[in-house]
Each structure stands twice: as C-alpha cells, then as structure tokens.
Amino acid sequence: MPSVSEILATMDYGPAPEGNAPVLAWLEANAGGFGHFINGRFTKPAGARLFTVSNPATGKPLARVSLGAAADIDAAVKAARKAFPAWAKLAGHDRARCLYALARLIQKRERFLAVLETMDNGKPIRESRDIDVPLAARHFYHHAGWAELIADEFPGYRPLGVCGQIIPWNFPLLMLAWKIAPALAAGNTVVLKPAEFTPLSALAFAELCREAGLPDGVVNIVTGDGATGAALVQHPDVGKIAFTGSTEVGRLIRKATAGTEKKLSLELGGKSPFIVHEDADLDAAVEGVVDAIWFNQGQVCCAGSRILVQEGIAPKFLAKLKRRMETLRVGDPLDKSVDMGAIVDPVQLTRISELVETGKREGGMLLQASCGLPETGNWFAPSLFTDVEPSSTVMDVEIFGPVAALMSFRTPEEAVQIANHTRYGLSATVWSENINLALDTAARVKAGVVWINSTNLFDAAAGFGGYRESGFGREGGREGMYEYLVPGWEAGLRPEAAAKRAPLSALPPDASEPGGIDRTAKLYIGGKQARPDGGYSYSVYGAKGKAIGQAGLGNRKDIRNAVEAAAKASAWSAATAHNRAQVIYYIAENLAPRAAEFAARLVAMGQGKAEAKAEVDAAIARIFWYAAQADKYDGRVHATKSRHVTLAMNEPWGVMGLVCPDEMPLLGFVSLVMPAIAMGNRVVAVPSPRQPLAATDLYQVFDTSDVPGGVINIVTGERDELAKTLADHDDVACVWYCGSRQGAAAVEAASAGNLKATWVSHGRRRDWLSRDQGQGHDYLRRAVQVKNIWIPYGE
C-alpha cells in the first residue's frame, strides 16, 4: 500500500466505491419483474412479455421489466384522460403542492436515485449524484412555482389534456423531470414511456408519485421498446407528444402526427461546435472540452463534438488537450474518482466503433487516451480526431459517444461559417476573453443554446431546445411552459365542413359576361412584379359571379424563386427593431389614404360596404399594432441557478411560408404577414386563392414604403399545392397555414423533411376582426425562436 507522501507525489487515485446495497435490495424485492404504473398502481408483470435491463458496466442483468403493448398504452391513456378534468380544475396552488412534494421526495431519495441511475445507465456516480438528481429536483421546484402562478402569468391559456412523453436513455431521470414537471404544472396528465435501456429510475419515480399523494391517473408510466412508443404516438386520445431522441425517429413522429391535431415538441440530435478564439483562456477551454464531450461518455445531444480552434493557438491547445486526455480515468461508474463510465449498450458501442473506423478510413488522425479499460462491460476510450474537414463523417454525423473532432479556423467569420455547416442547431460553445467577440459569435451561430466560456450548463429556468433538424419547441423556463398550454381562443375553435371547390382554371371567363376584366395581377418576388413561370393566369370572380380580374397561377418554380429572393434579403433580419418598425408604420401610413380604394376592391369581390370598410380599417390598425410591437416584443434575462446572465433572445426563423385564409382576404393576409416581418422574418405569402386581389393590390403600397426587395413575396395560385411546396422546401424554416384539414395534414407531413416548425388551422376558421383571435402575442411568439445565451460573470 503506498504511503501518503508517495500518493502526493504521484497523485494516483485509489478506489472510492459508492455503496449500492439499498438499490440491490430494491431490485431483489422486484425480482419477479416490474409492471407498468397505471392509474396510481403497478400492474402485474405478464411473464412472457418481460425484457431484461442490464448494467452497462458489467453486462449483468439488473431487472426484468414489462414490455408494453398497445393495450397497456390504451389503459394508461384512459386513466390519464379520466384524471384530467379534476386535475385541470384543481387550483394552481394545489397542483404546486404536489410538485413541491415530488421535489422534496427526490431530494430525500437522492443517493438511492443517483446509484440506481448509475447502475442502469453507466454514467459516473458523481455525475448522477451532483448533476442529474439535483437538476431533477430543481425542475419540480421550479415548476411548482409555475403551477402557483399560472393563472396570473398565462391568462387565457388552457392545458392540452393527455400528454404522451417519450424520453431517451442518456439522462433518464432528468429527462423525466424536464417533461413531467411542466406538463403537471400546466394542468395536463401524463403517459410517459422511458427508454428501453434505462427504465428503472422512472419506475422508482412512480413510487414517489404514490408517496406524494398524486391523484390516480395523473402520472402513468409504461415501459417498453420502440413499438410501445409508436402506440403512444398514434393513440387518438393523446393531445400532445413530447419526444427527446434521434432526428430520424423525430422525423417519423412528425409524419405520424401530421393531421392528428396533436401538439408536438421535438428535442433531437446535435453536432455542436466548440469554438476557441485565440484570446481564450486555454486551460479553461481544455477543461471545457472535458465537460463538453467526455461528460456522460459523450452520450449527450448537445455534446461539443466539433472543436474549432483558431489557427494561431491550435498547436498549443492541442498539446494541452492531449496531456489532459491522458489524465482521464475510465472505469467502474460507482467509483467516485472515475471520470468516464460505460457506454449504455453494446448496440451503441458498435455504432461508435463503426463511425470511428469510418473516420480513420477517411484520413482522420485518431488520438485516444491510453487509459486501461475493464474487460467486461461496454467501454470506449476518450477519443479525438484531427486532420479532418468540415464534410468528414466525424465532423458531420452525430456519433453519440466520447469522440470529438478538431480542426482550425483563421478568422471569426470562418469559425461561424464552419460552425453553421451542419443540419443541426442544438447548442454551441464560445471561448474568448473578449466579450464583444464572444457575443458577436454567439449571435451569429445557429443554435438554440449558446454557452460562453462554459459548457453543458442546464437549469429549469432557462429554455433548452434547438434550431433546424435539432427540432423545435423548448423545455424549461417560461418558453417551456407554452409547450403544454394552448390559447383559450384557439382551443375553442371548431373545424368547419370541408368545402368542395373547383380547381382554379386558366381558361378565360365566359365572353358573354357583362363588363370586362380590369387587370391582371402578377406575382411579387424580390420587390418586383413577375409573370408566373408557367405563363398561366386564372380568373378571379366577385359579386354575382362576375370576373373582376386575373391572378398569376404560380407553381413550384415560382415558390423556389420567391424563397431565393427571401433568403437574399437577410439584411432585414439583421436590421434594428426600430428600423423595422419605421417601415411597417410607413406601410400603414401609405395604406390609410387608399382605404376607400381597397374597400371598393373588397366590395367588388362580394362584400357589403360596411363590412369592407371594417376590414380595411382593421387591417390598417393591425399594421400599426405590429409596427409598435416590432421593438417592444423582446427577450428576457432568466434567473438561473448559477452566476450567469442567461439571455433569452427572440430570433427570427429566417424565411417563413405564410398560407392565408379565404375569409377576410386583406385582413387575413395582413394578420399573418405583419407579425412575421415585425420579428425580422422574410416571408413568402400565398394569399386567398379565391380572392387574391386584395393582397396583390398591396404591391404599390410595399413599393412606396421602403420595404426591401425580398422581405415580402407573394405567389398566387392553388393554396394546397403551393403550401406543400413551401413545406417541402429546405430553406423555409417555418410555415403557417390557414385552410382545410387535409391541407394542414399535408403541410405537417411535408415539414418532416427539414423538421420545420408549423402552425396550422386544421380547417378551423378564425374571426380575424377579433383582437384575441386575429392578433396578439401568440402570433409574435410563433414568429420567433428563442436562443438562450449563458454569459458568466464574476471571478
């Protein structure tokens, strides 16, 4: 045995095992198998439908767990649905007491839960003890507060009903807390399916629900595999699906829920950049790499797996990083001095190994820590690739293991370009001692979360979620609460019967009709009127079936041209909110003197004079309102549980597709376009196909109001055909659709391509004159995505 002086000289670590006797006793007590937790009690395990859960560090079985079938999901959903009315009507204070009780119980059982999590998942005990379990308790505490305040902070909002939640295996208990806490705070009931590899902490949590006195059916937990999750996604009585997992599965869920009216939030994969500028504290940045990629064996969706180092410091940084890699200890996760534990399952270990071999074949130089690995279990050494390109597999594909890739950049501009060279956008890390450079980089990186001089920080008060193919929706904070609520006005709308309409015809109108066609409206693309690519126009009919004009019959090429024009108008998104407000005010000012002209157009299309005047007046007022909001609807500073200024910044989506309603063709068009451009988006708008002239008459107003070319583009034609083209387009980041249920379903299904966010009407008609239904913060909130930037302060 070495002496103390020898240990101080070598700094060798001895074993520091964590006792697991209580967990073993609990597992032994359930040796017959775990049932599902449905309606406040555990079901009896069905002997033939059990699967084995193993310890990743040893490969030995831990427990047998029920394999959920469609019937189990149905029973859980029925229990949740039955419990929903009473839970939703419960006073916020009473729901808060339940959430508070759960938080206290997690704290009381924190050592038991930490050990169970480590044995089930393979992560080091100090991570589950110091990060996962305390954060899980924090989420229930935080959301107990939202439950208490919900009537004041979210007036006019309602819970959704039964929420189906599917969580991954990398943070089993923490992901459970991220999803269950806000759902319960909002007044929903839950059916949760934990990951097949790691269901045990969810079953332990079910016991806490009974101990906390949660009403039967409010929380239900059904264990199983992918088929179990699919049954939950497809259940008709589920009002929302919240999923955390791979982008591939997220895409399948988006398609499966299309047209079902289920609300959806997806937190998916990532390939996050870790940017080190030349003025960074290199020693701190090296420790940041350890936390970014070797935390939880790299099995983290926001892992900083793409390390970008400025050219002048790259050799020095790499030398420091290689030395630090050699000090990492890999081994028994229950050893408190271990840095990295086991990979969750042999399947995941095989995937990591195959991707690493691909990286080597492509010419990457693989560096691995020389630490010894245990002979049994699932292990992979901390690894780093150099000599890679932005398009290399290891720089492009999410490995989900302890493997990073490093390359250099010359200028901050190049760093941002490489960082954004990915289909993902979950998180990013920026290291610099220059706060101006750090914030500029953070603002330009396309990611939902950005950490400055820190990494992998989480808190219940700050939203977490991604851009692009990393999904949509946020978990945590105020923005996360909106995912489990719906505006009362929207929930109260009822779908109308689908109207059968003849296709728009390019044939000329009946020549025997009295009167003549007074004009042909072209498309409006890039600030210019343009003839449709197909060369066809269709007749627009007004009162008594009289042809009053023609409009271009746009096609997919016209949408392509409009999206390109919108993409080029990126300066609008970078403009100050004040400047955007001035342009929108100018639109209102220039429309007001022509109010009588626009009202006459509406009368020609069949409206009464009073009705037409009211619509034009409302449109002008609405433009003024969004002009006023352009520099008022701003972000927040979240009160996170650390020494950080955590900025929740509202950022525009970029290019939005807006498909407008038939009713109130001028006001409906204005009500969609104005909030979008007020928040800095550029839009491709499809006006009412039956009454497009109210929108096309706005060309001259836009031309005389200093609206930059490409900010507003208008393509007329068949609504659903153009809507699907917009939803298919990878350069469109968000689509709003007002139209039929069938059209809404097609938009949602097509949006799975690049996982764009959608807001569709499902055939419900809004009252566009209503300030609740036709304008408001719901429109502004849906016109932005929130980026949370963590800025440390103090010494």
Side-chain angles (χ1 to χ4, degrees):
M1 182 174 180
S3 66
V4 173
S5 60
E6 289 172 333
I7 292 173
L8 289 174
T10 62
M11 295 303 289
D12 286 338
Y13 289 91
E18 174 71 48
N20 62 352
V23 172
L24 291 175
W26 181 72
L27 294 172
E28 180 61 29
N30 291 279
F34 286 93
H36 309 299
F37 184 69
I38 298 175
N39 202 31
R41 54 193 57 85
F42 284 95
T43 63
K44 184 177 180 180
R49 295 194 58 81
L50 294 174
F51 64 94
T52 300
V53 177
S54 299
N55 185 332
T58 64
K60 296 180 179 179
L62 288 173
R64 294 196 302 159
V65 178
S66 294
L67 181 63
D72 301 307
I73 290 292
D74 187 58
V77 172
K78 284 180 179 177
R81 190 177 183 189
K82 182 180 179 182
F84 171 67
W87 180 253
K89 290 179 182 177
L90 206 61
H93 172 73
D94 293 325
R95 289 202 300 273
R97 290 174 68 91
C98 290
L99 289 163
Y100 182 83
L102 286 169
R104 291 288 293 127
L105 287 169
I106 290 173
Q107 286 186 319
K108 290 179 182 179
R109 308 289 192 278
E110 62 181 357
R111 187 54 60 97
F112 175 90
L113 292 169
V115 173
L116 177 62
E117 197 81 325
T118 287
M119 293 175 65
D120 197 18
N121 170 272
K123 65 177 62 187
I125 182 63
R126 60 189 181 86
E127 291 181 8
S128 53
R129 179 197 64 201
D130 299 341
I131 300 173
D132 292 36
V133 176
L135 267 176
R138 162 72 172 148
H139 271 267
F140 281 99
Y141 276 127
H142 179 79
H143 287 93
W146 281 126
E148 188 79 43
L149 302 173
I150 195 162
D152 299 319
E153 297 295 325
F154 299 93
Y157 282 80
R158 303 179 189 175
L160 292 158
V162 179
C163 296
Q165 302 178 325
I166 302 171
I167 60 174
W169 44 259
N170 55 343
F171 293 92
L173 183 65
L174 182 55
M175 291 294 101
L176 176 150
W178 279 24
K179 287 182 167 51
I180 288 182
L184 299 190
N188 301 284
T189 53
V190 165
V191 177
L192 179 133
K193 194 211 76 82
E196 180 181 0
F197 295 153
T198 55
L200 298 181
S201 56
L203 295 169
F205 175 80
E207 295 182 349
L208 300 187
C209 290
R210 290 201 299 188
E211 191 174 349
L214 212 63
D216 293 348
V218 171
V219 170
N220 305 271
I221 296 173
V222 180
T223 55
D225 56 11
T228 313
L232 181 57
V233 168
Q234 295 164 3
H235 200 289
D237 292 332
V238 171
K240 176 196 169 61
I241 293 294
F243 172 77
T244 297
S246 71
T247 295
E248 292 73 19
V249 176
R251 190 171 282 115
L252 293 174
I253 291 174
R254 170 69 285 184
K255 291 179 180 177
T257 57
T260 64
E261 302 189 34
K262 290 182 174 74
K263 194 169 185 178
L264 181 64
S265 56
L266 300 172
E267 194 264 280
L268 306 176
K271 194 68 178 175
S272 301
F274 187 102
I275 303 170
V276 184
H277 290 289
E278 61 186 0
D279 64 343
D281 180 335
L282 297 191
D283 292 319
V286 165
E287 290 305 309
V289 171
V290 174
D291 291 337
I293 188 59
W294 297 313
F295 165 61
N296 196 24
Q297 300 75 254
Q299 299 170 137
V300 184
C301 53
C302 53
S305 54
R306 291 190 298 143
I307 305 172
L308 310 177
V309 185
Q310 197 151 13
E311 194 172 70
I313 60 167
K316 184 177 181 181
F317 181 84
L318 180 58
K320 286 177 175 286
L321 185 56
K322 289 166 66 176
R323 284 197 299 271
R324 183 64 175 91
M325 283 177 65
E326 290 301 317
T327 68
L328 296 175
R329 303 182 75 246
V330 180
D332 179 7
L334 286 175
D335 186 337
K336 292 188 283 288
S337 62
V338 157
D339 296 301
M340 213 174 80
I343 303 300
V344 71
D345 189 83
V347 170
Q348 182 64 16
L349 180 60
T350 298
R351 171 181 164 78
I352 295 168
S353 300
E354 290 175 348
L355 287 170
V356 166
E357 289 303 314
T358 299
K360 290 162 64 176
R361 286 196 303 271
E362 292 177 353
M365 176 67 70
L366 177 65
L367 306 172
Q368 287 188 306
S370 59
C371 54
L373 301 179
E375 294 182 359
T376 59
N378 313 315
W379 307 94
F380 202 89
S383 303
L384 176 68
F385 271 100
T386 60
D387 299 335
V388 294
E389 302 293 335
S391 58
S392 299
T393 297
V394 293
M395 284 287 284
D396 179 62
V397 175
E398 184 180 33
I399 298 175
F400 222 65
V403 184
L406 183 149
M407 64 177 295
S408 63
F409 64 88
R410 290 186 177 181
T411 66
E413 178 68 30
E414 185 183 21
V416 171
Q417 289 179 353
I418 298 173
N420 291 336
H421 183 72
T422 175
R423 63 186 184 275
Y424 299 113
L426 188 55
S427 66
T429 300
V430 181
W431 290 83
S432 173
E433 292 298 288
N434 182 335
I435 188 63
N436 293 326
L437 176 60
L439 286 174
D440 181 63
T441 305
R444 296 163 66 195
V445 170
K446 300 295 184 184
V449 181
V450 181
W451 296 289
I452 293 177
N453 293 338
S454 53
T455 194
N456 274 343
L457 298 176
F458 312 98
D459 188 75
F464 182 88
Y467 288 13
R468 302 192 285 196
E469 291 189 29
S470 289
F472 48 80
R474 294 293 182 266
E475 294 185 294
R478 181 182 295 268
E479 53 262 44
M481 282 296 295
Y482 280 114
E483 301 298 329
Y484 290 93
L485 295 164
V486 63
W489 67 263
E490 192 173 354
L493 299 179
R494 294 290 177 265
E496 296 187 352
K500 292 186 178 180
R501 298 180 182 274
L504 302 178
S505 176
L507 298 175
D510 188 343
S512 64
E513 290 179 353
I517 298 175
D518 61 9
R519 64 169 295 183
T520 298
K522 297 182 178 65
L523 312 182
Y524 188 66
I525 297 175
K528 299 178 181 178
Q529 297 186 43
R531 290 184 174 84
D533 173 80
Y536 290 103
S537 297
Y538 68 96
S539 296
V540 179
Y541 295 90
K544 300 179 180 179
K546 178 182 177 182
I548 59 172
Q550 287 195 329
L553 197 58
N555 61 23
R556 59 185 301 273
K557 290 186 177 180
D558 297 308
I559 292 291
R560 179 199 65 190
N561 294 339
V563 172
E564 287 181 0
K568 291 177 181 177
S570 58
W572 179 255
S573 298
T576 67
H578 168 77
N579 288 343
R580 292 198 301 269
Q582 293 303 299
V583 171
I584 298 171
Y585 275 126
Y586 206 7
I587 293 172
E589 291 172 6
N590 286 328
L591 178 58
R594 299 177 60 181
E597 174 191 338
F598 277 83
R601 173 66 78 181
L602 295 174
V603 170
M605 289 191 292
Q607 295 188 20
K609 290 184 178 180
E611 181 185 5
K613 183 178 184 303
E615 181 174 346
V616 175
D617 290 346
I620 294 170
R622 193 148 293 167
I623 297 171
F624 271 113
W625 193 84
Y626 283 115
Q629 285 287 356
D631 60 356
K632 311 294 188 305
Y633 188 79
D634 49 23
R636 293 175 176 267
V637 177
H638 287 319
T640 50
K641 193 182 171 186
S642 60
R643 289 176 64 84
H644 282 78
V645 175
T646 309
L647 303 177
M649 308 291 292
N650 292 326
E651 290 195 346
W653 292 100
V655 178
M656 292 181 64
L658 308 176
V659 185
C660 303
D662 278 327
E663 63 273 16
M664 296 197 172
L666 175 64
L667 183 57
F669 179 90
V670 163
S671 298
L672 297 186
V673 170
M674 291 303 139
I677 67 169
M679 294 295 97
N681 298 286
R682 297 90 69 194
V683 304
V684 177
V686 177
S688 162
R690 305 293 161 182
Q691 303 182 63
L693 302 183
T696 58
D697 284 350
L698 289 169
Y699 296 167
Q700 293 179 349
V701 175
F702 298 149
D703 287 341
T704 57
S705 301
D706 294 338
V707 178
V711 172
I712 301 174
N713 304 273
I714 302 174
V715 179
T716 54
E718 288 283 7
R719 172 192 284 115
D720 288 355
E721 177 184 325
L722 299 177
K724 185 178 182 303
T725 303
L726 282 168
D728 277 327
H729 203 298
D730 282 347
D731 289 337
V732 176
C734 179
V735 173
W736 294 354
Y737 172 89
C738 294
S740 68
R741 297 185 69 174
Q742 296 83 357
V747 165
E748 288 185 328
S751 73
N754 70 341
L755 288 166
K756 59 173 63 68
T758 60
W759 187 22
V760 301
S761 66
H762 294 294
R764 292 178 167 88
R765 179 174 292 191
R766 302 174 198 178
D767 177 3
W768 294 101
L769 287 172
S770 165
R771 288 178 61 87
D772 288 335
Q773 298 183 24
Q775 83 175 38
H777 282 190
D778 290 323
Y779 289 81
L780 295 167
R781 181 174 61 83
R782 290 179 177 271
V784 297
Q785 48 192 340
V786 179
K787 172 186 284 185
N788 279 276
I789 304 176
W790 294 64
I791 308 169
Y793 64 89
E795 293 296 332

